[in-house]
């Protein structure tokens, strides 16, 4: 028996691993309503690809290359943009062809960035969100298995494992084991599931607060209203201690406050995480609340122009 | 009659119905008629004050109503109106 030949692209990818994770933990000083409650936010856009998705995308891509599944095939996935951009950056560097199914109504910057990085974009129905993109990707992988390897971030354990192995550990260490609450929105649910599981292993008293958009339609790109959307396979409903709802309107208001009071120019979904953290802080007398800011405002010019004229 | 395309996330509140057809003078009238027939939709489309939630994008044909007359945009017979959801995926 001979050992399998390693895909040489794996070595290239491994050289990029330093661009993933170890993001700054930012003290949110002015938005916390209680002196005894500390709020911290991971600035997740400070990675390759400019979002939290560097973590799962790198892990998913690396696993796919290591398994040999991408020999002679294109990486295929459905994405609302950020995972796609992260795949595209790592893949461009390692010479891996990428095809993405993305809803037609994704922001113009995202589509432009993806095209610039050489991604083959398949635009899917604007009425069906990423649920529709997943259907198209699945169909393509089924009809052309020799051409595509569908990695499916919504079902891929490498998604939440990236957060289990890294984000959760970083939060534990960076707060010097003081973290009492972790607050994060649900999209693919990878961030919440992986980070939450790891934090509970460190200290089962840490409270895990999941956030969802209050309404089926919302302006929080990246979040899922699980009642009306397809629930990702990797979601584990036993992980959250509590689930709270956040409105788009309160997130837009927070986006403005974060810019003026904290110097943080962030995306609507990052602002929604801050809304969740601040609302929780109002109910506590003391604690160390940590959330993640998935991306900054760069890719949301239409919203920013309206909110911050 | 104007035709309104209902995005998948809202079809849970319309018994799966994807297209709503109704005689309506304006976008506002059309959306109000939809909400009257399917009351569960109301909080997803309108604020308590009754105005359309600010982040919801509505198109008449290919035109965003913000570039037209907003909710007061007049509808012609056979106009196609669409409600476009935000993108979900992310985190």
């Amino acid at each position: 028996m001979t050992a399998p030949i390693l895909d040489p692209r794996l070595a290239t990818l491994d050289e990029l691993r330093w661009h993933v994770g170890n993001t700054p933990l930012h003290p949110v000083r002015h938005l916390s309503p209680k002196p005894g409650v500390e709020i911290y936010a991971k600035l997740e856009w400070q990675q390759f690809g400019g979002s939290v998705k560097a973590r799962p995308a790198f892990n998913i891509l690396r696993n796919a290359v290591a398994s040999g599944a991408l020999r002679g095939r294109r990486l295929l996935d459905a994405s609302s943009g950020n995972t796609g951009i992260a795949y595209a950056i790592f893949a461009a560097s390692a010479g891996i062809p990428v095809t993405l199914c993305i809803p037609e109504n994704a922001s113009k910057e995202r589509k432009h960035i993806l095209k610039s990085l050489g991604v083959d974009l398949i635009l899917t129905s604007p009425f069906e969100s990423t649920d529709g993109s997943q259907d198209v990707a699945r169909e393509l992988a089924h009809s052309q298995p020799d051409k595509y390897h569908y990695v499916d971030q919504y079902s891929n354990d490498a998604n939440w494992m990236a957060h289990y192995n890294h984000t959760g550990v970083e939060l534990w260490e960076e707060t010097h084991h003081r973290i009492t609450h972790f607050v994060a929105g649900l999209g693919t649910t990878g961030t919440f599931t992986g980070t939450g599981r790891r934090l509970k292993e460190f200290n089962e008293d840490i409270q895990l607060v999941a956030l969802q958009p209050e309404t089926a339609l919302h302006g929080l790109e990246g979040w899922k209203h699980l009642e009306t959307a397809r629930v990702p396979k990797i979601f584990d409903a036993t992980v959250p201690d509590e689930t709270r709802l956040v409105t788009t309107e309160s997130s837009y208001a927070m986006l403005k406050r974060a810019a003026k009071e904290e110097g943080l120019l962030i995306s609507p979904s990052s602002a929604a995480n801050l809304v969740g953290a601040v609302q929780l802080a109002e109910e506590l007398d003391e604690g160390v609340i940590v959330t993640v800011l998935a991306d900054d405002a760069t890719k949301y010019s239409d919203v920013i122009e309206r909110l911050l004229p | 009659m104007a035709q309104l395309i209902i995005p998948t996330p809202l079809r849970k509140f319309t018994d799966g119905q994807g297209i709503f057809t109704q005689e309506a003078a304006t976008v506002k009238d059309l959306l109000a008629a939809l909400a009257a027939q399917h009351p569960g939709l109301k909080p997803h489309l309108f604020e308590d004050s009754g105005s359309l939630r600010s982040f919801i994008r509505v198109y008449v044909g290919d035109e965003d109503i913000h570039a037209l007359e907003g909710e007061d945009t007049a509808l012609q017979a056979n106009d196609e109106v669409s409600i476009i959801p935000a993108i979900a995926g992310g985190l």
Side-chain angles (χ1 to χ4, degrees):
Chain A
M1 202 170 118
T2 53
I5 300 165
L6 277 182
D7 189 325
R9 296 174 298 185
L10 198 57
T12 311
L13 275 179
D14 281 343
E15 286 171 358
L16 301 175
R17 71 186 183 282
W18 305 111
H19 292 292
V20 182
N22 293 308
T23 51
L25 186 69
H26 178 81
V28 179
R29 297 202 185 281
H30 305 294
L31 296 174
S32 181
K34 295 270 186 72
V37 183
E38 300 165 48
I39 300 177
Y40 295 90
K42 285 285 262 184
L43 306 189
E44 286 291 292
W45 65 84
Q46 299 196 16
Q47 305 180 76
F48 239 21
S51 82
V52 66
K53 291 316 195 111
R55 298 175 186 265
F58 182 82
N59 207 30
I60 289 170
L61 184 59
R62 195 189 178 285
N63 279 7
V65 172
S67 73
L70 287 176
R71 283 183 190 279
R73 294 199 291 177
R74 304 179 69 85
L75 179 131
L76 171 68
D77 207 352
S79 166
S80 62
N82 272 337
T83 307
I85 291 168
Y87 284 141
I89 285 179
F90 294 123
S93 181
I96 297 163
V98 174
T99 297
L100 288 175
C101 299
I102 178 167
E104 198 182 319
N105 51 325
S107 75
K108 62 185 177 198
E109 289 98 339
R110 291 181 190 219
K111 286 186 278 194
H112 181 73
I113 292 167
L114 288 167
K115 279 185 190 161
S116 305
L117 290 166
V119 171
D120 178 20
L121 273 191
I122 296 173
L123 299 179
T124 61
S125 167
F127 301 110
E128 297 175 11
S129 207
T130 42
D131 287 359
S133 307
Q134 287 176 66
D135 292 338
V136 172
R138 193 172 298 115
E139 214 170 286
L140 271 177
H142 182 70
S143 62
Q144 299 179 69
D146 294 338
K147 183 174 179 184
Y148 296 113
H149 174 59
Y150 178 33
V151 289
D152 191 3
Q153 59 165 330
Y154 297 89
S155 307
N156 196 320
D157 286 333
N159 179 345
W160 68 266
M161 287 295 292
H163 296 288
Y164 178 87
N165 288 329
H166 300 284
T167 320
V169 180
E170 289 170 31
L171 295 185
W172 180 244
E173 296 302 334
E174 287 162 358
T175 60
H176 306 288
H177 309 180
R178 295 171 62 242
I179 177 172
T180 57
H181 296 77
F182 176 64
V183 180
L186 299 175
T188 69
T189 74
T191 303
F192 188 85
T193 304
T195 308
R197 278 190 180 136
R198 192 56 179 264
L199 288 173
K200 279 285 187 189
E201 286 178 12
F202 286 128
N203 177 358
E204 62 181 6
D205 293 333
I206 295 172
Q207 292 299 294
L208 306 176
V209 181
L211 305 174
Q212 276 192 63
E214 189 190 61
T215 47
L217 297 185
H218 55 87
L220 309 176
E221 277 199 20
W223 282 28
K224 263 185 190 291
H225 181 256
L226 292 184
E227 192 193 333
T228 55
R230 189 174 299 159
V231 177
K233 203 173 154 195
I234 59 171
F235 180 57
D236 178 352
T238 66
V239 174
D241 292 297
E242 186 189 346
T243 300
R244 293 173 177 230
L245 303 176
V246 178
T247 65
T248 300
E249 289 89 346
S250 63
S251 307
Y252 283 172
M254 181 59 80
L255 190 153
K256 292 198 255 189
R257 282 191 69 192
K260 293 197 166 93
E261 297 175 37
E262 293 285 348
L264 295 171
L265 269 172
I266 52 178
S267 67
S269 68
S270 294
N273 275 332
L274 274 182
V275 169
V278 169
Q279 285 179 354
L280 175 64
E282 281 164 2
E283 299 163 21
L284 304 174
D285 292 322
E286 55 183 22
V288 177
I289 300 172
V290 181
T291 189
V292 288
L293 303 184
D295 53 354
D296 68 3
T298 313
K299 298 183 289 290
Y300 302 88
S301 65
D302 49 346
V303 178
I304 298 305
E305 281 166 19
R306 205 149 34 88
L307 294 179
L308 300 170
Chain B
M1 287 205 286
Q3 206 176 53
L4 177 64
I5 302 175
I6 301 162
T8 315
L10 291 185
R11 292 181 194 169
K12 182 168 182 178
F13 308 101
T14 62
D15 301 321
Q17 185 185 341
I19 292 176
F20 177 73
T21 309
Q22 173 79 28
E23 204 80 61
T26 63
V27 168
K28 191 177 194 170
D29 293 347
L30 183 63
L31 294 173
L34 174 73
Q37 192 161 326
H38 303 286
L41 272 177
K42 228 171 180 173
H44 295 275
L45 292 177
F46 302 106
E47 291 174 21
D48 292 342
S49 65
S51 57
L52 190 64
R53 300 192 91 137
S54 61
F55 54 87
I56 290 181
R57 284 180 282 176
V58 179
Y59 288 76
V60 176
D62 291 332
E63 284 285 341
D64 188 331
I65 61 167
H66 289 303
L68 302 169
E69 304 293 323
E71 291 177 64
D72 295 325
T73 302
L75 294 176
Q76 312 297 323
N78 305 322
D79 266 345
E80 191 177 275
V81 181
S82 351
I83 303 170
I84 303 288
I87 305 293
L91 299 178

